[in-house]
């Protein structure tokens, strides 16, 4: 499989007027010959970006599920009983 860098390199060569072997392209169709490589490079980069975004979305979904599960499973702790300290119960030194 051709990598994005290889497609960009091929596109650059064709835009500069060289073919795969480095020989000059003598016609004015350099852009037309470079276009498939440019599009393939963009598609490759878009696929990489989409995979990364899908991975982030999956991670966020798992975090949200874990937080929801934790919120439903953890009962609220009752407040500790309060003690009333009246002045007569205090020891005086």
């Amino acid at each position: 499989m051709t990598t994005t860098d290889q497609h960009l390199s091929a596109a650059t060569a064709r835009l500069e007027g060289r073919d795969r072997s480095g020989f000059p392209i003598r016609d004015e169709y350099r852009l037309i010959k470079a276009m498939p490589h440019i599009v393939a490079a963009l598609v490759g980069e878009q696929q990489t970006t989409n995979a990364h975004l899908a991975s982030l979305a999956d991670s966020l979904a798992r975090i949200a599920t874990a937080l929801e599960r934790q919120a439903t499973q953890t009962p609220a702790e009752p407040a500790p009983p309060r003690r009333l300290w009246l002045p007569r119960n205090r020891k005086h030194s």
Side-chain angles (χ1 to χ4, degrees):
M1 178 174 231
T2 308
T3 65
T4 299
D5 289 334
Q6 290 169 332
H7 281 298
L8 288 174
S9 177
T12 302
R14 281 162 179 77
L15 287 172
E16 291 173 351
R18 295 177 283 122
D19 67 359
R20 289 183 201 181
S21 307
F23 293 108
I25 299 174
R26 299 264 185 233
D27 55 20
E28 62 277 353
Y29 300 108
R30 294 185 299 221
L31 181 61
I32 293 171
K33 292 181 180 183
M35 195 59 65
H37 296 283
I38 293 169
V39 171
L42 290 173
V43 167
E45 286 300 307
Q46 187 64 49
Q47 288 174 339
T48 302
T49 301
N50 289 347
H52 185 69
L53 291 174
S55 171
L56 288 174
D58 181 53
S59 296
L60 290 174
R62 285 187 284 123
I63 290 169
T65 302
L67 288 174
E68 288 172 357
R69 189 178 314 129
Q70 181 182 10
T72 58
Q73 289 179 354
T74 307
E77 291 185 23
R82 296 187 65 180
R83 296 182 184 206
L84 183 60
W85 292 94
L86 297 174
R88 68 175 189 258
N89 292 343
R90 294 187 183 169
K91 294 183 180 179
H92 296 287
S93 28

